[in-house]
Amino acid sequence: MFAARQATSSVFGAVQRRAFSASAANATKVAVLGAAGGIGQPLSLLLKLNPRVSELALYDIKGAPGVAADISHINTKSVVKGYEASAEGIKECLSGAEIVLIPAGVPRKPGMTRDDLFNTNASIVRDLAKAAAESSPDANILIISNPVNSTVPITAEVFKKAGVYNPKRLFGVTTLDVVRASRFISQLKSTDPANENITVIGGHSGATIVPLLSQSGYTLEGAERDEYVKRVQFGGDEVVQAKGGAGSATLSMAMAGARFAESLLKAAQGQKGVIEPTFVDSPLYKDQGVTYFASNVELGPNGVEKIHPVGKLTEHEQSLLEVCLKDLKGNIEKGEKFAKDNL
Ligand SMILES: NC(=O)C1=CN([C@@H]2O[C@H](COP(=O)(O)OP(=O)(O)OC[C@H]3O[C@@H](n4cnc5c(N)ncnc54)[C@H](O)[C@@H]3O)[C@@H](O)[C@H]2O)C=CC1
Ligand SMILES: O=C([O-])CC(=O)C(=O)O
């Protein structure tokens, strides 16, 4: 127990320890779809270490019962169950879930963009979203599967068609961009990365990822600034290249997904002022036809509590935002068109 709790607290901080006693009163079922994958396994492990989770439901087209059996031996209180791939299996997995994390789908290989995953992952996400709309319509749905800029709109359209869409409960997980932006600035400034929290807005691919250093009081100039921005925007490619065909970021993504789920749970369990950047149905740039956008979002018991505006930008950040909005609009429309043609 001690080791498990220590591992959790080193990831999520002291707040986690304070929450331990409060957690008993909160029965929270969390489901992971794609739980046997590169992200799914470590994500499920981190969720098992989270005392706010009382039940962990794992689903995959293959291997979920094995992952569940393994994780279930960890000596934390939550109950873990793995489900076989079947209509009944996914229904039971989702039923009663408060949070549904979806990392199901194929990852990139070197030379591919996230958009190159669209043809495979769009229908995987559509089908899982259909199951969620049916069996857990009130859950918070956290989309990890790429391309997030398109898979989130697809999920929204599925929920709309089923008559259960709640924009406050659908999230594209962009936390890894914040994690990277924070880590990379700490390397340049020799600060403790755990104390950095760089706001990242826009979406989750290439030029749609816009880090806002100025809002954390940092100024980088010239080549150093451009290299930093490029590294944040293409951090995913760095991992894809390094893995040489064996997939994309899994471990850092698992940490980021677990952190976002933890933030939602904290907010659901009454903590105020929980803020995470995330890709949501957003009013900020709707007048420019960009219907989903990642910015700082205050979370609450009902999911999205308040979408913060992006705030003051430097001229350079403004120019990045303009490129972002153009790309993002295309990615969103692509997802919506797929839904229109395939639902
Ligand atoms: N949002 C983000 O920041 C990030 C997103 N990703 C994305 O996450 C996705 C998963 O990546 P990995 O875990 O590395 O891939 P992976 O291939 O290791 O695992 C994917 C899992 O999904 C399962 N799966 C496939 N179709 C399914 C279905 N219909 N129902 C249930 N499970 C299904 C597979 O059996 C596999 O176990 C990729 O699309 C990747 O691009 C990856 C890193 C960061
Ligand atoms: O780069 C990829 O394909 C996976 C991903 O989204 C990331 O690592 O940010």
Side-chain angles (χ1 to χ4, degrees):
M1 174 64 102
F2 174 71
R5 216 183 307 166
Q6 195 180 44
T8 314
S9 60
S10 65
V11 174
F12 302 115
V15 179
Q16 183 76 35
R17 288 194 298 277
R18 286 202 297 277
F20 194 75
S21 55
S23 67
N26 299 294
T28 302
K29 178 174 176 180
V30 176
V32 181
L33 311 183
I39 296 168
Q41 292 201 37
L43 174 60
S44 302
L45 169 65
L46 291 172
L47 293 167
K48 176 64 176 137
L49 299 181
N50 189 329
R52 294 178 193 272
V53 178
S54 61
E55 188 179 344
L56 191 54
L58 307 184
Y59 179 84
D60 200 294
I61 47 169
K62 56 173 174 23
V67 174
D70 186 350
I71 286 178
S72 74
H73 289 185
I74 292 171
N75 59 332
T76 59
K77 275 189 185 164
S78 52
V79 173
V80 186
K81 190 160 176 207
Y83 296 84
E84 298 286 355
S86 66
E88 201 46 43
I90 193 161
K91 197 171 168 185
E92 268 181 47
C93 174
L94 288 167
S95 172
E98 199 173 299
I99 294 183
V100 178
L101 290 125
I102 309 187
V106 293
R108 283 198 285 169
K109 290 192 186 320
M112 292 172 81
T113 66
R114 289 184 185 80
D115 189 55
D116 292 332
L117 302 172
F118 186 95
N119 287 344
T120 311
N121 289 351
S123 50
I124 292 175
V125 172
R126 174 202 58 197
D127 294 346
L128 295 173
K130 274 187 189 169
E134 199 180 304
S135 300
S136 54
D138 300 323
N140 295 297
I141 309 292
L142 279 52
I143 304 292
I144 294 171
S145 316
N146 273 315
V148 166
N149 296 354
S150 306
T151 49
V152 168
I154 290 171
T155 305
E157 293 307 310
V158 170
F159 273 64
K160 282 180 199 168
K161 180 136 197 237
V164 293
Y165 180 52
N166 179 353
K168 294 184 170 190
R169 294 214 181 268
L170 175 61
F171 305 89
V173 181
T174 57
T175 319
L176 183 53
D177 301 318
V178 178
V179 167
R180 285 184 179 134
S182 303
R183 176 64 184 145
F184 299 163
I185 194 69
S186 80
Q187 288 172 311
L188 291 177
K189 299 290 183 187
S190 302
T191 57
D192 181 349
N195 295 332
E196 299 291 357
N197 194 17
I198 304 297
T199 298
V200 183
I201 61 167
H204 180 67
S205 73
T208 70
I209 300 171
V210 180
L212 302 181
L213 273 184
S214 65
Q215 297 190 357
S216 299
Y218 287 118
T219 316
L220 296 178
E221 299 290 353
E224 191 181 37
R225 177 195 68 195
D226 294 346
E227 276 162 28
Y228 172 80
V229 171
K230 186 160 183 245
R231 192 166 182 219
V232 174
Q233 291 185 328
F234 295 92
D237 295 60
E238 215 176 274
V239 182
V240 170
Q241 289 298 334
K243 290 197 175 178
S248 55
T250 53
L251 304 172
S252 49
M253 181 59 233
M255 177 271 171
R259 170 175 136 177
F260 189 73
E262 160 76 352
S263 291
L264 266 174
L265 289 171
K266 279 198 276 198
Q269 293 169 7
Q271 194 166 314
K272 300 279 177 227
V274 181
I275 296 176
E276 290 277 1
T278 170
F279 186 69
V280 292
D281 188 325
S282 170
L284 295 184
Y285 296 98
K286 268 200 176 142
D287 60 344
Q288 296 183 47
V290 178
T291 42
Y292 300 83
F293 191 81
S295 67
N296 275 327
V297 171
E298 189 170 334
L299 304 170
N302 301 312
V304 173
E305 194 74 34
K306 184 171 178 222
I307 295 173
H308 290 253
V310 299
K312 198 166 178 293
L313 304 183
T314 64
E315 215 171 288
H316 179 254
E317 288 165 349
Q318 184 62 39
S319 69
L320 293 175
L321 176 60
E322 275 153 32
V323 179
C324 156
L325 289 172
K326 194 167 149 289
D327 282 12
L328 204 44
K329 187 165 184 289
N331 295 158
I332 293 166
E333 284 170 357
K334 185 169 177 179
E336 289 178 338
K337 180 169 184 327
F338 170 86
K340 192 161 174 276
D341 296 344
N342 294 282
L343 284 185

PDB file of all heavy atoms in Angstrom, residues 39 107-109 112-114 117 144 146 148 176-177 180 204-205 209 232-240 247-250 252-253, ligand 2:
ATOM      1  N   ILE A  39      -0.822   2.946 -24.411  1.00  0.00           N
ATOM      2  CA  ILE A  39      -1.270   3.946 -23.430  1.00  0.00           C
ATOM      3  C   ILE A  39      -2.168   3.283 -22.395  1.00  0.00           C
ATOM      4  O   ILE A  39      -2.037   3.529 -21.190  1.00  0.00           O
ATOM      5  CB  ILE A  39      -2.060   5.086 -24.117  1.00  0.00           C
ATOM      6  CG1 ILE A  39      -1.162   5.859 -25.083  1.00  0.00           C
ATOM      7  CG2 ILE A  39      -2.665   6.035 -23.075  1.00  0.00           C
ATOM      8  CD1 ILE A  39      -1.909   6.796 -26.011  1.00  0.00           C
ATOM      9  N   PRO A 107      -1.613   4.007 -33.440  1.00  0.00           N
ATOM     10  CA  PRO A 107      -0.676   5.132 -33.294  1.00  0.00           C
ATOM     11  C   PRO A 107       0.104   5.389 -34.588  1.00  0.00           C
ATOM     12  O   PRO A 107       0.077   4.557 -35.495  1.00  0.00           O
ATOM     13  CB  PRO A 107       0.257   4.648 -32.176  1.00  0.00           C
ATOM     14  CG  PRO A 107       0.274   3.160 -32.306  1.00  0.00           C
ATOM     15  CD  PRO A 107      -1.017   2.733 -32.969  1.00  0.00           C
ATOM     16  N   ARG A 108       0.832   6.497 -34.615  1.00  0.00           N
ATOM     17  CA  ARG A 108       1.612   6.854 -35.814  1.00  0.00           C
ATOM     18  C   ARG A 108       2.885   6.032 -35.959  1.00  0.00           C
ATOM     19  O   ARG A 108       3.417   5.525 -34.983  1.00  0.00           O
ATOM     20  CB  ARG A 108       2.065   8.310 -35.706  1.00  0.00           C
ATOM     21  CG  ARG A 108       1.018   9.297 -36.000  1.00  0.00           C
ATOM     22  CD  ARG A 108       1.633  10.637 -36.292  1.00  0.00           C
ATOM     23  NE  ARG A 108       2.119  11.346 -35.108  1.00  0.00           N
ATOM     24  CZ  ARG A 108       2.878  12.425 -35.180  1.00  0.00           C
ATOM     25  NH1 ARG A 108       3.264  12.896 -36.367  1.00  0.00           N
ATOM     26  NH2 ARG A 108       3.256  13.053 -34.083  1.00  0.00           N
ATOM     27  N   LYS A 109       3.372   5.984 -37.197  1.00  0.00           N
ATOM     28  CA  LYS A 109       4.719   5.499 -37.501  1.00  0.00           C
ATOM     29  C   LYS A 109       5.486   6.688 -38.079  1.00  0.00           C
ATOM     30  O   LYS A 109       4.860   7.661 -38.514  1.00  0.00           O
ATOM     31  CB  LYS A 109       4.651   4.378 -38.542  1.00  0.00           C
ATOM     32  CG  LYS A 109       4.039   3.088 -38.018  1.00  0.00           C
ATOM     33  CD  LYS A 109       4.275   1.973 -39.017  1.00  0.00           C
ATOM     34  CE  LYS A 109       3.588   0.672 -38.681  1.00  0.00           C
ATOM     35  NZ  LYS A 109       3.558   0.248 -37.320  1.00  0.00           N
ATOM     36  N   MET A 112       4.373   9.729 -40.703  1.00  0.00           N
ATOM     37  CA  MET A 112       2.910   9.965 -40.719  1.00  0.00           C
ATOM     38  C   MET A 112       2.562  11.210 -39.907  1.00  0.00           C
ATOM     39  O   MET A 112       3.237  11.529 -38.932  1.00  0.00           O
ATOM     40  CB  MET A 112       2.168   8.780 -40.079  1.00  0.00           C
ATOM     41  CG  MET A 112       2.223   7.497 -40.864  1.00  0.00           C
ATOM     42  SD  MET A 112       1.525   6.140 -39.884  1.00  0.00           S
ATOM     43  CE  MET A 112      -0.222   6.391 -40.156  1.00  0.00           C
ATOM     44  N   THR A 113       1.477  11.878 -40.301  1.00  0.00           N
ATOM     45  CA  THR A 113       0.906  12.930 -39.456  1.00  0.00           C
ATOM     46  C   THR A 113      -0.222  12.295 -38.642  1.00  0.00           C
ATOM     47  O   THR A 113      -0.657  11.174 -38.945  1.00  0.00           O
ATOM     48  CB  THR A 113       0.301  14.072 -40.304  1.00  0.00           C
ATOM     49  OG1 THR A 113      -0.822  13.531 -41.023  1.00  0.00           O
ATOM     50  CG2 THR A 113       1.321  14.652 -41.257  1.00  0.00           C
ATOM     51  N   ARG A 114      -0.713  13.028 -37.660  1.00  0.00           N
ATOM     52  CA  ARG A 114      -1.850  12.487 -36.895  1.00  0.00           C
ATOM     53  C   ARG A 114      -3.066  12.322 -37.799  1.00  0.00           C
ATOM     54  O   ARG A 114      -3.846  11.398 -37.657  1.00  0.00           O
ATOM     55  CB  ARG A 114      -2.176  13.391 -35.709  1.00  0.00           C
ATOM     56  CG  ARG A 114      -1.120  13.341 -34.608  1.00  0.00           C
ATOM     57  CD  ARG A 114      -1.565  14.176 -33.426  1.00  0.00           C
ATOM     58  NE  ARG A 114      -0.570  14.278 -32.367  1.00  0.00           N
ATOM     59  CZ  ARG A 114       0.479  15.111 -32.390  1.00  0.00           C
ATOM     60  NH1 ARG A 114       0.678  15.900 -33.435  1.00  0.00           N
ATOM     61  NH2 ARG A 114       1.315  15.167 -31.367  1.00  0.00           N
ATOM     62  N   LEU A 117      -3.966   9.114 -39.445  1.00  0.00           N
ATOM     63  CA  LEU A 117      -4.635   8.067 -38.646  1.00  0.00           C
ATOM     64  C   LEU A 117      -6.155   8.130 -38.808  1.00  0.00           C
ATOM     65  O   LEU A 117      -6.872   7.237 -38.348  1.00  0.00           O
ATOM     66  CB  LEU A 117      -4.288   8.221 -37.154  1.00  0.00           C
ATOM     67  CG  LEU A 117      -2.793   8.175 -36.802  1.00  0.00           C
ATOM     68  CD1 LEU A 117      -2.590   8.540 -35.325  1.00  0.00           C
ATOM     69  CD2 LEU A 117      -2.223   6.784 -37.079  1.00  0.00           C
ATOM     70  N   ILE A 144      -8.602  10.475 -26.248  1.00  0.00           N
ATOM     71  CA  ILE A 144      -7.142  10.482 -26.418  1.00  0.00           C
ATOM     72  C   ILE A 144      -6.789  10.101 -27.862  1.00  0.00           C
ATOM     73  O   ILE A 144      -5.817  10.596 -28.426  1.00  0.00           O
ATOM     74  CB  ILE A 144      -6.492   9.508 -25.408  1.00  0.00           C
ATOM     75  CG1 ILE A 144      -6.705  10.028 -23.968  1.00  0.00           C
ATOM     76  CG2 ILE A 144      -5.008   9.312 -25.692  1.00  0.00           C
ATOM     77  CD1 ILE A 144      -6.297   9.052 -22.879  1.00  0.00           C
ATOM     78  N   ASN A 146      -6.110   9.751 -31.627  1.00  0.00           N
ATOM     79  CA  ASN A 146      -5.830  10.770 -32.653  1.00  0.00           C
ATOM     80  C   ASN A 146      -6.519  10.482 -33.973  1.00  0.00           C
ATOM     81  O   ASN A 146      -6.811   9.326 -34.257  1.00  0.00           O
ATOM     82  CB  ASN A 146      -4.310  10.816 -32.891  1.00  0.00           C
ATOM     83  CG  ASN A 146      -3.620  11.742 -31.920  1.00  0.00           C
ATOM     84  OD1 ASN A 146      -4.089  12.852 -31.690  1.00  0.00           O
ATOM     85  ND2 ASN A 146      -2.505  11.294 -31.354  1.00  0.00           N
ATOM     86  N   VAL A 148      -7.070  13.987 -32.452  1.00  0.00           N
ATOM     87  CA  VAL A 148      -8.007  14.533 -31.456  1.00  0.00           C
ATOM     88  C   VAL A 148      -8.845  15.688 -32.031  1.00  0.00           C
ATOM     89  O   VAL A 148     -10.040  15.804 -31.735  1.00  0.00           O
ATOM     90  CB  VAL A 148      -7.209  15.004 -30.208  1.00  0.00           C
ATOM     91  CG1 VAL A 148      -8.049  15.875 -29.292  1.00  0.00           C
ATOM     92  CG2 VAL A 148      -6.672  13.799 -29.446  1.00  0.00           C
ATOM     93  N   LEU A 176      -0.892  16.398 -22.522  1.00  0.00           N
ATOM     94  CA  LEU A 176       0.501  16.070 -22.827  1.00  0.00           C
ATOM     95  C   LEU A 176       1.237  17.282 -23.414  1.00  0.00           C
ATOM     96  O   LEU A 176       2.439  17.450 -23.198  1.00  0.00           O
ATOM     97  CB  LEU A 176       0.563  14.870 -23.791  1.00  0.00           C
ATOM     98  CG  LEU A 176       1.952  14.354 -24.168  1.00  0.00           C
ATOM     99  CD1 LEU A 176       2.811  14.035 -22.936  1.00  0.00           C
ATOM    100  CD2 LEU A 176       1.844  13.110 -25.047  1.00  0.00           C
ATOM    101  N   ASP A 177       0.512  18.130 -24.132  1.00  0.00           N
ATOM    102  CA  ASP A 177       1.146  19.343 -24.675  1.00  0.00           C
ATOM    103  C   ASP A 177       1.584  20.277 -23.538  1.00  0.00           C
ATOM    104  O   ASP A 177       2.641  20.904 -23.607  1.00  0.00           O
ATOM    105  CB  ASP A 177       0.171  20.065 -25.615  1.00  0.00           C
ATOM    106  CG  ASP A 177      -0.253  19.162 -26.770  1.00  0.00           C
ATOM    107  OD1 ASP A 177       0.615  18.464 -27.313  1.00  0.00           O
ATOM    108  OD2 ASP A 177      -1.458  19.139 -27.100  1.00  0.00           O
ATOM    109  N   ARG A 180       4.641  18.670 -21.834  1.00  0.00           N
ATOM    110  CA  ARG A 180       5.860  18.895 -22.629  1.00  0.00           C
ATOM    111  C   ARG A 180       6.306  20.358 -22.556  1.00  0.00           C
ATOM    112  O   ARG A 180       7.487  20.643 -22.351  1.00  0.00           O
ATOM    113  CB  ARG A 180       5.590  18.539 -24.096  1.00  0.00           C
ATOM    114  CG  ARG A 180       5.522  17.065 -24.349  1.00  0.00           C
ATOM    115  CD  ARG A 180       5.345  16.775 -25.842  1.00  0.00           C
ATOM    116  NE  ARG A 180       5.302  15.351 -26.066  1.00  0.00           N
ATOM    117  CZ  ARG A 180       4.410  14.734 -26.836  1.00  0.00           C
ATOM    118  NH1 ARG A 180       3.476  15.418 -27.477  1.00  0.00           N
ATOM    119  NH2 ARG A 180       4.447  13.418 -26.970  1.00  0.00           N
ATOM    120  N   HIS A 204      -4.547  19.662 -30.954  1.00  0.00           N
ATOM    121  CA  HIS A 204      -3.490  18.693 -30.633  1.00  0.00           C
ATOM    122  C   HIS A 204      -2.871  18.120 -31.889  1.00  0.00           C
ATOM    123  O   HIS A 204      -2.962  16.919 -32.142  1.00  0.00           O
ATOM    124  CB  HIS A 204      -4.042  17.582 -29.722  1.00  0.00           C
ATOM    125  CG  HIS A 204      -2.984  16.573 -29.360  1.00  0.00           C
ATOM    126  ND1 HIS A 204      -1.896  16.887 -28.568  1.00  0.00           N
ATOM    127  CD2 HIS A 204      -2.803  15.283 -29.709  1.00  0.00           C
ATOM    128  CE1 HIS A 204      -1.117  15.836 -28.449  1.00  0.00           C
ATOM    129  NE2 HIS A 204      -1.645  14.835 -29.144  1.00  0.00           N
ATOM    130  N   SER A 205      -2.257  18.992 -32.709  1.00  0.00           N
ATOM    131  CA  SER A 205      -1.380  18.494 -33.779  1.00  0.00           C
ATOM    132  C   SER A 205      -0.640  19.672 -34.382  1.00  0.00           C
ATOM    133  O   SER A 205      -1.249  20.716 -34.665  1.00  0.00           O
ATOM    134  CB  SER A 205      -2.162  17.755 -34.867  1.00  0.00           C
ATOM    135  OG  SER A 205      -2.873  18.658 -35.643  1.00  0.00           O
ATOM    136  N   ILE A 209      -1.002  23.472 -32.075  1.00  0.00           N
ATOM    137  CA  ILE A 209      -0.561  23.491 -30.670  1.00  0.00           C
ATOM    138  C   ILE A 209       0.162  24.823 -30.421  1.00  0.00           C
ATOM    139  O   ILE A 209       1.221  25.074 -30.997  1.00  0.00           O
ATOM    140  CB  ILE A 209       0.385  22.299 -30.385  1.00  0.00           C
ATOM    141  CG1 ILE A 209      -0.323  20.961 -30.650  1.00  0.00           C
ATOM    142  CG2 ILE A 209       0.924  22.372 -28.958  1.00  0.00           C
ATOM    143  CD1 ILE A 209       0.602  19.737 -30.613  1.00  0.00           C
ATOM    144  N   VAL A 232       7.593  21.978 -28.861  1.00  0.00           N
ATOM    145  CA  VAL A 232       6.283  21.715 -28.234  1.00  0.00           C
ATOM    146  C   VAL A 232       5.297  21.224 -29.300  1.00  0.00           C
ATOM    147  O   VAL A 232       4.577  20.240 -29.092  1.00  0.00           O
ATOM    148  CB  VAL A 232       5.744  22.986 -27.523  1.00  0.00           C
ATOM    149  CG1 VAL A 232       4.327  22.754 -27.010  1.00  0.00           C
ATOM    150  CG2 VAL A 232       6.674  23.390 -26.379  1.00  0.00           C
ATOM    151  N   GLN A 233       5.304  21.888 -30.456  1.00  0.00           N
ATOM    152  CA  GLN A 233       4.335  21.520 -31.498  1.00  0.00           C
ATOM    153  C   GLN A 233       4.606  20.123 -32.068  1.00  0.00           C
ATOM    154  O   GLN A 233       3.688  19.414 -32.453  1.00  0.00           O
ATOM    155  CB  GLN A 233       4.373  22.557 -32.633  1.00  0.00           C
ATOM    156  CG  GLN A 233       3.829  23.917 -32.207  1.00  0.00           C
ATOM    157  CD  GLN A 233       3.739  24.912 -33.350  1.00  0.00           C
ATOM    158  OE1 GLN A 233       4.558  24.874 -34.273  1.00  0.00           O
ATOM    159  NE2 GLN A 233       2.769  25.808 -33.283  1.00  0.00           N
ATOM    160  N   PHE A 234       5.891  19.744 -32.101  1.00  0.00           N
ATOM    161  CA  PHE A 234       6.249  18.468 -32.729  1.00  0.00           C
ATOM    162  C   PHE A 234       6.911  17.507 -31.738  1.00  0.00           C
ATOM    163  O   PHE A 234       7.664  16.620 -32.138  1.00  0.00           O
ATOM    164  CB  PHE A 234       7.121  18.722 -33.974  1.00  0.00           C
ATOM    165  CG  PHE A 234       6.349  19.453 -35.044  1.00  0.00           C
ATOM    166  CD1 PHE A 234       6.378  20.845 -35.100  1.00  0.00           C
ATOM    167  CD2 PHE A 234       5.537  18.772 -35.934  1.00  0.00           C
ATOM    168  CE1 PHE A 234       5.623  21.535 -36.044  1.00  0.00           C
ATOM    169  CE2 PHE A 234       4.780  19.452 -36.888  1.00  0.00           C
ATOM    170  CZ  PHE A 234       4.820  20.833 -36.949  1.00  0.00           C
ATOM    171  N   GLY A 235       6.579  17.670 -30.460  1.00  0.00           N
ATOM    172  CA  GLY A 235       7.105  16.771 -29.419  1.00  0.00           C
ATOM    173  C   GLY A 235       6.690  15.329 -29.685  1.00  0.00           C
ATOM    174  O   GLY A 235       7.451  14.389 -29.433  1.00  0.00           O
ATOM    175  N   GLY A 236       5.485  15.167 -30.195  1.00  0.00           N
ATOM    176  CA  GLY A 236       4.998  13.818 -30.504  1.00  0.00           C
ATOM    177  C   GLY A 236       5.878  13.147 -31.548  1.00  0.00           C
ATOM    178  O   GLY A 236       6.196  11.957 -31.439  1.00  0.00           O
ATOM    179  N   ASP A 237       6.325  13.928 -32.543  1.00  0.00           N
ATOM    180  CA  ASP A 237       7.173  13.370 -33.608  1.00  0.00           C
ATOM    181  C   ASP A 237       8.522  12.913 -33.051  1.00  0.00           C
ATOM    182  O   ASP A 237       9.096  11.934 -33.543  1.00  0.00           O
ATOM    183  CB  ASP A 237       7.426  14.420 -34.692  1.00  0.00           C
ATOM    184  CG  ASP A 237       6.145  14.801 -35.407  1.00  0.00           C
ATOM    185  OD1 ASP A 237       5.229  15.299 -34.724  1.00  0.00           O
ATOM    186  OD2 ASP A 237       6.051  14.590 -36.625  1.00  0.00           O
ATOM    187  N   GLU A 238       9.011  13.662 -32.054  1.00  0.00           N
ATOM    188  CA  GLU A 238      10.291  13.293 -31.428  1.00  0.00           C
ATOM    189  C   GLU A 238      10.200  11.853 -30.895  1.00  0.00           C
ATOM    190  O   GLU A 238      11.117  11.046 -31.071  1.00  0.00           O
ATOM    191  CB  GLU A 238      10.524  14.250 -30.241  1.00  0.00           C
ATOM    192  CG  GLU A 238      11.943  14.637 -29.995  1.00  0.00           C
ATOM    193  CD  GLU A 238      12.054  15.661 -28.860  1.00  0.00           C
ATOM    194  OE1 GLU A 238      11.930  16.884 -29.100  1.00  0.00           O
ATOM    195  OE2 GLU A 238      12.272  15.228 -27.715  1.00  0.00           O
ATOM    196  N   VAL A 239       9.084  11.533 -30.265  1.00  0.00           N
ATOM    197  CA  VAL A 239       8.904  10.188 -29.693  1.00  0.00           C
ATOM    198  C   VAL A 239       8.672   9.156 -30.799  1.00  0.00           C
ATOM    199  O   VAL A 239       9.235   8.055 -30.777  1.00  0.00           O
ATOM    200  CB  VAL A 239       7.725  10.172 -28.675  1.00  0.00           C
ATOM    201  CG1 VAL A 239       7.572   8.794 -28.051  1.00  0.00           C
ATOM    202  CG2 VAL A 239       7.929  11.228 -27.598  1.00  0.00           C
ATOM    203  N   VAL A 240       7.865   9.534 -31.788  1.00  0.00           N
ATOM    204  CA  VAL A 240       7.591   8.615 -32.914  1.00  0.00           C
ATOM    205  C   VAL A 240       8.905   8.231 -33.600  1.00  0.00           C
ATOM    206  O   VAL A 240       9.153   7.049 -33.883  1.00  0.00           O
ATOM    207  CB  VAL A 240       6.593   9.259 -33.920  1.00  0.00           C
ATOM    208  CG1 VAL A 240       6.495   8.432 -35.200  1.00  0.00           C
ATOM    209  CG2 VAL A 240       5.216   9.412 -33.290  1.00  0.00           C
ATOM    210  N   GLY A 247       5.500   2.750 -32.508  1.00  0.00           N
ATOM    211  CA  GLY A 247       4.408   3.501 -31.893  1.00  0.00           C
ATOM    212  C   GLY A 247       4.795   4.912 -31.509  1.00  0.00           C
ATOM    213  O   GLY A 247       5.853   5.420 -31.900  1.00  0.00           O
ATOM    214  N   SER A 248       3.934   5.545 -30.716  1.00  0.00           N
ATOM    215  CA  SER A 248       4.153   6.943 -30.329  1.00  0.00           C
ATOM    216  C   SER A 248       4.167   7.010 -28.806  1.00  0.00           C
ATOM    217  O   SER A 248       4.257   5.984 -28.125  1.00  0.00           O
ATOM    218  CB  SER A 248       3.071   7.828 -30.957  1.00  0.00           C
ATOM    219  OG  SER A 248       1.774   7.377 -30.633  1.00  0.00           O
ATOM    220  N   ALA A 249       4.067   8.217 -28.277  1.00  0.00           N
ATOM    221  CA  ALA A 249       4.155   8.394 -26.815  1.00  0.00           C
ATOM    222  C   ALA A 249       3.082   7.564 -26.105  1.00  0.00           C
ATOM    223  O   ALA A 249       1.903   7.631 -26.465  1.00  0.00           O
ATOM    224  CB  ALA A 249       3.969   9.867 -26.481  1.00  0.00           C
ATOM    225  N   THR A 250       3.515   6.782 -25.158  1.00  0.00           N
ATOM    226  CA  THR A 250       2.564   5.963 -24.395  1.00  0.00           C
ATOM    227  C   THR A 250       2.678   6.272 -22.892  1.00  0.00           C
ATOM    228  O   THR A 250       1.677   6.491 -22.218  1.00  0.00           O
ATOM    229  CB  THR A 250       2.824   4.459 -24.619  1.00  0.00           C
ATOM    230  OG1 THR A 250       4.191   4.174 -24.338  1.00  0.00           O
ATOM    231  CG2 THR A 250       2.499   4.040 -26.039  1.00  0.00           C
ATOM    232  N   SER A 252       4.373   8.846 -21.227  1.00  0.00           N
ATOM    233  CA  SER A 252       4.086  10.244 -20.872  1.00  0.00           C
ATOM    234  C   SER A 252       2.599  10.533 -21.093  1.00  0.00           C
ATOM    235  O   SER A 252       1.980  11.295 -20.340  1.00  0.00           O
ATOM    236  CB  SER A 252       4.961  11.202 -21.684  1.00  0.00           C
ATOM    237  OG  SER A 252       4.913  10.877 -23.058  1.00  0.00           O
ATOM    238  N   MET A 253       2.006   9.905 -22.106  1.00  0.00           N
ATOM    239  CA  MET A 253       0.565  10.113 -22.356  1.00  0.00           C
ATOM    240  C   MET A 253      -0.277   9.505 -21.243  1.00  0.00           C
ATOM    241  O   MET A 253      -1.303  10.068 -20.853  1.00  0.00           O
ATOM    242  CB  MET A 253       0.175   9.503 -23.711  1.00  0.00           C
ATOM    243  CG  MET A 253      -1.291   9.688 -24.049  1.00  0.00           C
ATOM    244  SD  MET A 253      -1.752  11.432 -24.091  1.00  0.00           S
ATOM    245  CE  MET A 253      -3.142  11.459 -22.991  1.00  0.00           C
TER     246      MET A 253
HETATM  247  O1  LIG B   2       2.499  12.124 -31.824  1.00  0.00           O
HETATM  248  C1  LIG B   2       1.621  11.243 -31.798  1.00  0.00           C
HETATM  249  O2  LIG B   2       1.196  10.655 -32.786  1.00  0.00           O
HETATM  250  C2  LIG B   2       1.020  10.910 -30.473  1.00  0.00           C
HETATM  251  C3  LIG B   2       0.616  12.164 -29.816  1.00  0.00           C
HETATM  252  O3  LIG B   2      -0.454  12.681 -30.041  1.00  0.00           O
HETATM  253  C4  LIG B   2       1.607  12.849 -29.001  1.00  0.00           C
HETATM  254  O4  LIG B   2       2.623  12.250 -28.608  1.00  0.00           O
HETATM  255  O5  LIG B   2       1.389  14.023 -28.708  1.00  0.00           O
END
